[in-house]
Amino acid sequence: MTLRTGLGGWIAFESVLPIDRAIERAQSIGCAWVAPRAGQDARGDPGLTDANLARYLDMYGVEGVAPWIFATHCHDVAPWRSLYDRGVRCFVINAEQRFKQVSDDAARAWVARIREACPDVWIAHAPFALPVSHRDFPYLGLDSCDAVMSQLYPHEFGGGSAAYWWGRYVSEWARRPDLAHAHRCTILDTYGSERLVAMGAPPGGCAPFSLDVFTDLFREVEGERWPSLYSLEAMDGRALEWLESRARGQRVRAELGAAVPPAWEPQTSAATVLPDIVGGQGGRE
């Protein structure tokens, strides 16, 4: 089993974007697969009910649904087996700061136990985007996964230009040739501080959303095997409009079976872009 190639959309809070709207949004921007939140450690997420999971599987098929679990430690494999018994064959491990306490050997053994409990599954992990800056994270242990989905979140990092973050991202992975097994692809954030405030969440150090930064980075990653967006429910309206325009252009090209003039490509409007607040000097990551 392998996750379907193409753009993916993550869902973190079903209460913000109910499943019907999540599926509609995923389809409108051309998602080939979706990644709904399945829980944290051994605790399941109430939003991913049996009925909702069945809807996702019915719409995207087994190769187009990759539920994710937020892992703070090497928890019991029962939650993964539960997903497996419900028809899931693609998993994503979302391990971040608290997982740094886990050794490479322990992480490697944990992935092996998941595979033993769930035969023939495809597994990705979604770590920090910068492996040199986070050398204390067990990248090597999780490199036994089939893919690594790096969280390149320039707005969450506090702002900065696309060129700065892309250059730093590429450079840090180039400096870790020991991480060569898993296929690497990129997750981009789709929101800024304004959207977090509108959703009732504290903005923290998140920068205002920049459409230029988002679209420039999107063009860098769209040729990857499994590029994805975090998240569908928090997506800034300007990002949604741009992605929907892009998807419409792709559908037109497919229907015509020929090249379409560049006018079909979505364009960034300078009038709607908020400036970078860090000016390419980096952020929190």
Side-chain angles (χ1 to χ4, degrees):
M1 174 58 62
T2 301
L3 184 68
R4 180 183 296 118
T5 298
L7 181 66
W10 293 61
I11 302 101
F13 299 105
E14 189 273 340
S15 60
V16 176
L17 192 70
I19 186 168
D20 288 339
R21 291 182 59 202
I23 290 175
E24 179 183 6
R25 180 164 295 183
Q27 291 180 322
S28 75
I29 64 174
C31 285
W33 54 276
V34 292
R37 181 184 177 118
Q40 176 174 327
D41 298 325
R43 185 176 69 249
D45 191 284
L48 195 63
T49 62
D50 288 347
N52 282 356
L53 180 56
R55 284 282 309 282
Y56 284 124
L57 289 169
D58 181 62
M59 183 62 62
Y60 280 93
V62 68
E63 71 279 11
V65 180
W68 58 280
I69 292 178
F70 185 81
T72 64
H73 62 282
C74 296
H75 57 79
D76 189 80
V77 300
W80 303 107
R81 180 67 205 197
S82 175
L83 289 169
Y84 187 85
D85 289 340
R86 293 154 72 191
V88 174
R89 294 297 181 269
C90 298
F91 300 154
V92 181
I93 298 167
N94 179 205
E96 299 176 8
Q97 187 65 32
R98 292 171 64 183
F99 205 79
K100 288 183 175 183
Q101 64 185 320
V102 177
S103 69
D104 284 315
D105 288 344
R108 189 176 296 108
W110 184 50
V111 174
R113 290 198 301 274
I114 296 173
R115 292 193 188 279
E116 182 179 6
C118 308
D120 301 319
V121 293
W122 181 93
I123 305 176
H125 76 106
F128 302 101
L130 305 174
V132 173
S133 300
H134 294 275
R135 282 192 178 275
D136 52 346
F137 184 84
Y139 288 95
L140 277 173
L142 293 173
D143 205 43
S144 56
C145 291
D146 300 296
V148 52
M149 297 179 165
S150 305
Q151 298 183 34
L152 184 58
Y153 295 172
H155 303 95
E156 281 282 0
F157 296 168
S161 69
Y164 171 82
W165 285 113
W166 185 252
R168 185 172 170 186
Y169 175 55
V170 171
S171 173
E172 291 213 11
W173 280 95
R175 291 160 61 192
R176 290 295 306 270
D178 53 328
L179 302 176
H181 176 265
H183 186 98
R184 179 167 56 85
C185 45
T186 311
I187 315 169
L188 298 178
D189 60 358
T190 63
Y191 53 87
S193 54
E194 325 89 314
R195 181 62 180 143
L196 294 181
V197 170
M199 293 172 61
C206 191
F209 182 75
S210 166
L211 186 61
D212 275 342
V213 170
F214 174 77
T215 56
D216 285 351
L217 286 174
F218 187 90
R219 291 184 178 103
E220 294 283 2
V221 308
E222 64 179 329
E224 296 176 347
R225 191 169 184 181
W226 298 296
S228 58
L229 305 171
Y230 185 90
S231 63
L232 292 181
E233 76 276 3
M235 187 174 292
D236 187 278
R238 290 160 289 180
L240 177 60
E241 182 180 7
W242 187 87
L243 289 163
E244 288 180 332
S245 178
R246 170 186 172 274
R248 286 194 297 271
Q250 289 181 324
R251 287 193 292 270
V252 168
R253 284 191 290 270
E255 291 171 1
L256 293 179
V260 176
W264 283 104
E265 292 290 348
Q267 300 296 315
T268 299
S269 172
T272 64
V273 176
L274 292 170
D276 294 334
I277 63 171
V278 180
Q281 298 304 308
R284 295 182 296 157
E285 181 68 342

